[in-house]
Amino acid sequence: MPKAALSAPTRQRIIAAVLQIIGEGGIAALTNRRIAKEAGVSLGSVTYHFETQHDLLRESLLHFVREEARHFTELADQCQTEGLDIEDAASLAGQVACGTALDSAHLAPFELYLHAGRDERLREAASKAFTAYDRLATQILTALGVPDAERLAATTVAVVMGLQLRRLATGSPADDLVDALLLLTRGAAPQSPEQGQGLLA
């Protein structure tokens, strides 16, 4: 574990270790002993901070979502402050996707979402995650002038997550994500009279 990670608070190091382990070997690979070793903490520290594995999974999922929300809030703010158009925003989203490492830590959330389908106790955390993504999508779409942004947000999130899953599984480039976002937002954006005439011609 890097020195910067070792200097982080114990609870944060444990959560980072959980995400790393889940990404590498799935939830079945998660044991307190392995978490302690990966986090560089004592075995007792794991059970002190998290009484059950359910607590570990819930808090790890929520931690990941908080970090993602912070990251994408910055993106949404950039859309507002720079007055980006749809093409620029889609390109920026693609750059963010390209900058997201295809590593085990980014596989972990998908594992956790699937696990939430099997464990009802995790569904509240998963619901909070998707609510956060929807809120950010709404903010970005509104900044781009897309009408009915709130209704379109869930679809936008589904497209992004689906293509990110495909990218993680296949190593495909982020171009597909940019193209899909352009298709979605252009279809929802108000058309100018000239565009409307072009469609009728």
Side-chain angles (χ1 to χ4, degrees):
M1 180 169 283
K3 287 182 179 178
L6 288 173
S7 66
T10 301
R11 188 179 178 88
Q12 185 178 328
R13 285 160 56 186
I14 291 170
I15 287 174
V18 168
L19 291 171
Q20 183 71 27
I21 293 165
I22 291 174
E24 289 174 354
I27 289 173
L30 209 58
T31 65
N32 285 355
R33 192 171 299 280
R34 183 168 177 186
I35 293 166
K37 182 178 179 182
E38 182 74 31
V41 301
S42 68
L43 188 58
S45 292
V46 178
T47 53
Y48 172 79
H49 286 281
F50 302 96
E51 290 185 8
T52 66
Q53 189 181 76
H54 166 67
D55 292 336
L56 268 171
L57 295 177
R58 183 188 67 242
E59 290 304 313
S60 297
L61 177 56
L62 291 175
H63 170 78
F64 180 85
V65 170
R66 281 192 295 267
E67 288 301 302
E68 287 283 277
R70 180 186 57 77
H71 182 60
F72 285 104
T73 295
E74 292 172 0
L75 174 61
D77 290 343
Q78 191 171 342
C79 284
Q80 290 178 318
T81 57
E82 295 185 6
L84 300 179
D85 60 19
I86 288 173
E87 287 79 6
D88 289 338
S91 176
L92 186 56
Q95 291 172 30
V96 171
C98 285
T100 300
L102 294 174
D103 57 17
S104 57
H106 285 85
L107 285 169
F110 289 101
E111 289 272 357
L112 287 166
Y113 292 137
L114 285 173
H115 195 67
R118 304 183 188 102
D119 186 347
E120 291 184 3
R121 296 171 301 172
L122 272 181
R123 289 183 189 171
E124 184 180 353
S127 179
K128 287 181 180 178
F130 281 95
T131 297
Y133 288 135
D134 289 351
R135 190 183 308 119
L136 289 168
T138 299
Q139 186 179 347
I140 292 170
L141 293 170
T142 299
L144 293 172
V146 173
D148 211 3
E150 190 171 350
R151 186 175 64 85
L152 190 61
T155 303
T156 305
V157 170
V159 168
V160 171
M161 292 195 74
L163 287 171
Q164 278 294 75
L165 180 58
R166 177 175 179 171
R167 181 169 170 258
L168 286 165
T170 66
S172 61
D175 294 347
D176 290 344
L177 174 59
V178 176
D179 291 342
L181 288 174
L182 282 173
L183 182 66
L184 189 64
T185 51
R186 280 175 176 159
Q191 293 180 342
S192 67
E194 293 78 10
Q195 288 174 315
Q197 290 171 5
L199 289 173
L200 294 172

